[in-house]
mmCIF file of all heavy atoms in Angstrom:
data_model
loop_
_atom_site.group_PDB
_atom_site.id
_atom_site.type_symbol
_atom_site.label_atom_id
_atom_site.label_comp_id
_atom_site.label_asym_id
_atom_site.label_seq_id
_atom_site.Cartn_x
_atom_site.Cartn_y
_atom_site.Cartn_z
ATOM 1 N N GLN A 191 45.692 18.772 -19.630
ATOM 2 C CA GLN A 191 46.003 18.554 -21.042
ATOM 3 C C GLN A 191 45.091 19.414 -21.909
ATOM 4 O O GLN A 191 43.865 19.254 -21.887
ATOM 5 C CB GLN A 191 45.800 17.073 -21.379
ATOM 6 C CG GLN A 191 46.088 16.728 -22.826
ATOM 7 C CD GLN A 191 45.762 15.282 -23.159
ATOM 8 O OE1 GLN A 191 44.945 14.663 -22.480
ATOM 9 N NE2 GLN A 191 46.382 14.747 -24.182
ATOM 10 N N PHE A 192 45.702 20.327 -22.654
ATOM 11 C CA PHE A 192 44.960 21.129 -23.637
ATOM 12 C C PHE A 192 45.041 20.347 -24.938
ATOM 13 O O PHE A 192 46.051 20.408 -25.657
ATOM 14 C CB PHE A 192 45.583 22.518 -23.734
ATOM 15 C CG PHE A 192 45.511 23.276 -22.429
ATOM 16 C CD1 PHE A 192 46.515 23.136 -21.477
ATOM 17 C CD2 PHE A 192 44.432 24.083 -22.142
ATOM 18 C CE1 PHE A 192 46.444 23.814 -20.261
ATOM 19 C CE2 PHE A 192 44.343 24.761 -20.927
ATOM 20 C CZ PHE A 192 45.347 24.614 -19.990
ATOM 21 N N LYS A 193 43.968 19.593 -25.201
ATOM 22 C CA LYS A 193 44.063 18.527 -26.199
ATOM 23 C C LYS A 193 44.427 19.034 -27.594
ATOM 24 O O LYS A 193 45.389 18.565 -28.189
ATOM 25 C CB LYS A 193 42.747 17.750 -26.237
ATOM 26 C CG LYS A 193 42.608 16.807 -25.046
ATOM 27 C CD LYS A 193 41.428 15.891 -25.232
ATOM 28 C CE LYS A 193 41.496 14.723 -24.268
ATOM 29 N NZ LYS A 193 40.325 13.841 -24.388
ATOM 30 N N ASP A 194 43.637 19.984 -28.120
ATOM 31 C CA ASP A 194 43.899 20.391 -29.507
ATOM 32 C C ASP A 194 45.180 21.215 -29.628
ATOM 33 O O ASP A 194 45.760 21.304 -30.700
ATOM 34 C CB ASP A 194 42.696 21.166 -30.066
ATOM 35 C CG ASP A 194 42.326 22.344 -29.182
ATOM 36 O OD1 ASP A 194 42.126 22.148 -27.971
ATOM 37 O OD2 ASP A 194 42.264 23.473 -29.693
ATOM 38 N N LEU A 195 45.630 21.802 -28.522
ATOM 39 C CA LEU A 195 46.887 22.550 -28.559
ATOM 40 C C LEU A 195 48.088 21.627 -28.382
ATOM 41 O O LEU A 195 49.237 22.024 -28.611
ATOM 42 C CB LEU A 195 46.904 23.620 -27.453
ATOM 43 C CG LEU A 195 45.778 24.661 -27.491
ATOM 44 C CD1 LEU A 195 45.874 25.606 -26.303
ATOM 45 C CD2 LEU A 195 45.822 25.454 -28.802
ATOM 46 N N ASN A 196 47.822 20.403 -27.962
ATOM 47 C CA ASN A 196 48.886 19.417 -27.709
ATOM 48 C C ASN A 196 49.886 19.920 -26.664
ATOM 49 O O ASN A 196 51.103 19.825 -26.833
ATOM 50 C CB ASN A 196 49.588 19.018 -29.012
ATOM 51 C CG ASN A 196 50.224 17.634 -28.930
ATOM 52 O OD1 ASN A 196 50.123 16.960 -27.893
ATOM 53 N ND2 ASN A 196 50.883 17.215 -29.997
ATOM 54 N N VAL A 197 49.323 20.514 -25.615
ATOM 55 C CA VAL A 197 50.129 21.039 -24.509
ATOM 56 C C VAL A 197 49.658 20.375 -23.219
ATOM 57 O O VAL A 197 48.460 20.241 -22.995
ATOM 58 C CB VAL A 197 49.958 22.572 -24.378
ATOM 59 C CG1 VAL A 197 50.603 23.084 -23.092
ATOM 60 C CG2 VAL A 197 50.536 23.289 -25.598
ATOM 61 N N ILE A 198 50.585 19.943 -22.392
ATOM 62 C CA ILE A 198 50.243 19.358 -21.101
ATOM 63 C C ILE A 198 50.985 20.118 -20.006
ATOM 64 O O ILE A 198 52.213 20.248 -20.042
ATOM 65 C CB ILE A 198 50.612 17.861 -21.035
ATOM 66 C CG1 ILE A 198 49.852 17.081 -22.120
ATOM 67 C CG2 ILE A 198 50.290 17.280 -19.644
ATOM 68 C CD1 ILE A 198 50.220 15.611 -22.220
ATOM 69 N N MET A 199 50.214 20.641 -19.051
ATOM 70 C CA MET A 199 50.836 21.253 -17.874
ATOM 71 C C MET A 199 50.960 20.168 -16.812
ATOM 72 O O MET A 199 49.980 19.538 -16.432
ATOM 73 C CB MET A 199 50.005 22.431 -17.384
ATOM 74 C CG MET A 199 49.973 23.536 -18.436
ATOM 75 S SD MET A 199 49.754 25.185 -17.757
ATOM 76 C CE MET A 199 51.189 25.402 -16.721
ATOM 77 N N THR A 200 52.175 19.965 -16.340
ATOM 78 C CA THR A 200 52.464 18.775 -15.544
ATOM 79 C C THR A 200 52.483 19.018 -14.038
ATOM 80 O O THR A 200 52.618 18.079 -13.269
ATOM 81 C CB THR A 200 53.837 18.205 -15.920
ATOM 82 O OG1 THR A 200 54.846 19.148 -15.532
ATOM 83 C CG2 THR A 200 53.944 17.940 -17.409
ATOM 84 N N GLY A 201 52.365 20.278 -13.599
ATOM 85 C CA GLY A 201 52.615 20.534 -12.182
ATOM 86 C C GLY A 201 54.042 20.126 -11.847
ATOM 87 O O GLY A 201 54.896 20.043 -12.731
ATOM 88 N N ASP A 202 54.307 19.833 -10.587
ATOM 89 C CA ASP A 202 55.676 19.541 -10.173
ATOM 90 C C ASP A 202 56.052 18.060 -10.287
ATOM 91 O O ASP A 202 57.154 17.671 -9.896
ATOM 92 C CB ASP A 202 55.915 19.993 -8.722
ATOM 93 C CG ASP A 202 56.098 21.502 -8.639
ATOM 94 O OD1 ASP A 202 56.042 22.172 -9.692
ATOM 95 O OD2 ASP A 202 56.301 22.006 -7.525
ATOM 96 N N VAL A 203 55.161 17.234 -10.820
ATOM 97 C CA VAL A 203 55.545 15.840 -11.073
ATOM 98 C C VAL A 203 56.734 15.845 -12.029
ATOM 99 O O VAL A 203 57.701 15.104 -11.863
ATOM 100 C CB VAL A 203 54.379 15.041 -11.687
ATOM 101 C CG1 VAL A 203 54.803 13.612 -11.963
ATOM 102 C CG2 VAL A 203 53.169 15.072 -10.760
ATOM 103 N N PHE A 204 56.664 16.733 -13.014
ATOM 104 C CA PHE A 204 57.759 16.875 -13.971
ATOM 105 C C PHE A 204 58.364 18.270 -13.826
ATOM 106 O O PHE A 204 57.661 19.269 -13.918
ATOM 107 C CB PHE A 204 57.242 16.662 -15.400
ATOM 108 C CG PHE A 204 58.296 16.823 -16.455
ATOM 109 C CD1 PHE A 204 59.281 15.865 -16.625
ATOM 110 C CD2 PHE A 204 58.315 17.938 -17.277
ATOM 111 C CE1 PHE A 204 60.273 16.015 -17.590
ATOM 112 C CE2 PHE A 204 59.300 18.098 -18.247
ATOM 113 C CZ PHE A 204 60.276 17.128 -18.403
ATOM 114 N N ARG A 205 59.645 18.312 -13.537
ATOM 115 C CA ARG A 205 60.371 19.579 -13.431
ATOM 116 C C ARG A 205 61.701 19.393 -14.125
ATOM 117 O O ARG A 205 62.167 18.264 -14.290
ATOM 118 C CB ARG A 205 60.632 19.925 -11.948
ATOM 119 C CG ARG A 205 59.379 20.112 -11.108
ATOM 120 C CD ARG A 205 59.578 19.599 -9.679
ATOM 121 N NE ARG A 205 60.417 20.460 -8.872
ATOM 122 C CZ ARG A 205 61.629 20.140 -8.427
ATOM 123 N NH1 ARG A 205 62.161 18.981 -8.726
ATOM 124 N NH2 ARG A 205 62.318 20.965 -7.673
ATOM 125 N N THR A 206 62.323 20.509 -14.504
ATOM 126 C CA THR A 206 63.634 20.371 -15.147
ATOM 127 C C THR A 206 64.728 21.083 -14.344
ATOM 128 O O THR A 206 65.821 21.289 -14.836
ATOM 129 C CB THR A 206 63.621 20.932 -16.594
ATOM 130 O OG1 THR A 206 63.507 22.358 -16.543
ATOM 131 C CG2 THR A 206 62.476 20.346 -17.401
ATOM 132 N N VAL A 207 64.401 21.448 -13.101
ATOM 133 C CA VAL A 207 65.354 22.230 -12.304
ATOM 134 C C VAL A 207 66.202 21.380 -11.359
ATOM 135 O O VAL A 207 67.183 21.872 -10.797
ATOM 136 C CB VAL A 207 64.635 23.330 -11.497
ATOM 137 C CG1 VAL A 207 64.057 24.384 -12.433
ATOM 138 C CG2 VAL A 207 63.528 22.738 -10.616
ATOM 139 N N SER A 208 65.807 20.134 -11.156
ATOM 140 C CA SER A 208 66.598 19.252 -10.286
ATOM 141 C C SER A 208 66.092 17.826 -10.476
ATOM 142 O O SER A 208 65.159 17.587 -11.245
ATOM 143 C CB SER A 208 66.461 19.647 -8.810
ATOM 144 O OG SER A 208 65.220 19.205 -8.289
#
Side-chain angles (χ1 to χ4, degrees):
Q191 180 185 24
F192 298 88
K193 284 190 165 178
D194 55 307
L195 301 177
N196 205 1
V197 170
I198 300 175
M199 296 208 61
T200 66
D202 283 0
V203 179
F204 179 72
R205 299 145 74 248
T206 70
V207 293
S208 77

